[in-house]
């Protein structure tokens, strides 16, 4: 899916309601409430686990990409942190934290000016989270 920084992933835009066209195009279905940290938040995902869209106050506040996040013709997933920083024209970020995802310990790096979190396993980006809510949560 094509990522336009601070604006959208695919046809899903940040800070606006999730449209029926996006739900239909990506085959999004409501995710179980127990998978969501915030009571006032809803999540939608596709059956293949390629994307997850988070809704709060009826607008898209974050999107998780697990297979494809294309920026300027290159997939961020499968890249290194240094490659992504170079593409974005920012310094290589410092390691923010490590989090257990299932049975793997993943590193994550924030690039706040792009509202971006990069999840890394063995030096390779395995997923990307983006949107205004991502950076606000990280700052807490």
């Amino acid at each position: 899916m094509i990522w336009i920084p601070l604006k959208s992933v695919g046809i899903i835009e940040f800070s606006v309601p999730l449209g029926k066209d996006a739900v239909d195009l990506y085959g999004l279905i409501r995710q179980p409430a127990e998978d969501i940290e915030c009571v006032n938040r809803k999540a939608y995902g596709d059956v293949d686990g390629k994307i997850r869209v988070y809704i709060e106050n009826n607008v898209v506040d974050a999107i998780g990409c697990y297979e494809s996040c294309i920026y300027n013709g290159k997939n961020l997933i499968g890249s290194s942190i240094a490659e992504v920083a170079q593409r974005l024209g920012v310094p290589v970020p410092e390691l923010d934290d490590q989090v257990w995802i299932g049975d793997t310990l993943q590193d994550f790096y924030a690039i706040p000016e792009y509202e971006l979190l990069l999840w890394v396993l063995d030096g390779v980006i395995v997923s990307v989270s983006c949107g205004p809510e991502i950076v606000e949560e990280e700052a807490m």
Side-chain angles (χ1 to χ4, degrees):
M1 300 182 83
I2 295 174
W3 170 59
I4 300 173
L6 312 175
K7 183 174 190 263
S8 63
V9 173
I11 65 168
I12 304 169
E13 292 188 49
F14 300 112
S15 303
V16 299
L18 178 63
K20 183 178 179 342
D21 52 345
V23 171
D24 293 344
L25 178 66
Y26 302 122
L28 300 176
I29 55 174
R30 181 86 182 264
Q31 302 296 298
E34 61 268 11
D35 290 349
I36 306 168
E37 304 82 29
C38 176
V39 172
N40 298 323
R41 204 173 203 197
K42 298 175 189 169
Y44 293 82
D46 69 330
V47 295
D48 298 322
K50 296 177 185 176
I51 186 171
R52 194 152 205 202
V53 180
Y54 294 93
I55 311 292
E56 192 163 358
N57 298 322
N58 296 318
V59 299
V60 175
D61 69 352
I63 299 172
C65 300
Y66 305 99
E67 182 178 271
S68 170
C69 187
I70 308 297
Y71 176 69
N72 284 346
K74 303 278 186 176
N75 195 352
L76 302 183
I77 297 172
S79 300
S80 71
I81 292 296
E83 290 169 332
V84 170
Q86 182 180 13
R87 276 186 221 137
L88 296 174
V90 298
V92 175
E94 297 288 324
L95 174 67
D96 272 290
D97 204 350
Q98 294 182 308
V99 177
W100 285 98
I101 306 292
D103 60 353
T104 62
L105 184 61
Q106 294 184 15
D107 300 331
F108 77 85
Y109 297 80
I111 303 179
E113 55 268 53
Y114 283 94
E115 299 177 341
L116 195 64
L117 286 182
L118 304 168
W119 299 85
V120 177
L121 182 63
D122 297 328
V124 176
I125 296 168
V126 294
S127 67
V128 175
S129 301
C130 47
E133 187 64 23
I134 293 298
V135 176
E136 289 172 19
E137 288 176 0
E138 163 59 13
M140 297 174 128

